[in-house]
Amino acid sequence: MQNNLPKLLFSWRGRLARLRFFCTAFLISALFLVLFVFLDTMIARAASWLIYPPFFWVMFCLAVKRLHDAGSSALWLLVVVIPVLGPLWLAWLLLFRKGSPGENQYGDDPLEAGDYLKVDIHAPGGTP
């Protein structure tokens, strides 16, 4: 499904499996941290404000696709405004809840769409 990086990072359409969500979110957060420290030490703290909007947009897109994988609406992101329990519930939804098997209203199952090597075998003399 997400074969290209811009679609993975900047689009909220489609679905995203748990492992891919976790790995991508971890790498984006690490990159954000490195850029933050670099800008803070080399330029000024105010320069680090430039990286917040892209970081939050990418994390928003990843979270929406992860919620879509479980068949949930992006409105579940609003649960984060509930003190303490909201962020914990959202973390559970994003990191531990299984996606719905097969296709749902948001797209194909990302675990089934990952056919990296697909081989079609035809019998000799048969129709291709």
Side-chain angles (χ1 to χ4, degrees):
M1 188 200 115
Q2 276 91 20
N3 291 334
N4 58 14
L5 197 57
K7 187 175 180 181
L8 173 67
L9 298 178
F10 301 111
S11 170
W12 65 81
R13 296 181 187 258
R15 296 171 62 177
L16 192 60
R18 280 184 293 183
L19 181 61
R20 190 155 188 194
F21 167 78
F22 179 77
C23 292
T24 306
F26 178 79
L27 290 173
I28 293 299
S29 298
L31 177 65
F32 172 81
L33 184 62
V34 168
L35 285 173
F36 177 84
V37 169
F38 173 77
L39 291 172
D40 186 37
T41 57
M42 298 304 257
I43 300 174
R45 175 147 319 219
S48 67
W49 283 95
L50 295 174
I51 60 174
Y52 279 94
F55 172 72
F56 285 124
W57 179 256
V58 169
M59 295 304 282
F60 169 77
C61 290
L62 293 173
V64 167
K65 284 188 276 201
R66 180 68 201 115
L67 288 170
H68 285 175
D69 187 44
S72 300
S73 169
L75 292 175
W76 276 101
L77 290 173
L78 294 175
V79 77
V80 79
V81 300
I82 300 170
V84 182
L85 292 179
L88 291 174
W89 181 255
L90 184 61
W92 181 81
L93 288 175
L94 296 176
L95 298 173
F96 299 109
R97 186 174 176 199
K98 278 187 165 184
S100 58
E103 184 178 347
N104 68 15
Q105 69 267 29
Y106 299 107
D108 295 330
D109 189 344
L111 297 178
E112 291 176 2
D115 295 332
Y116 296 105
L117 178 62
K118 188 173 185 178
V119 179
D120 290 329
I121 300 175
H122 300 285
T127 58

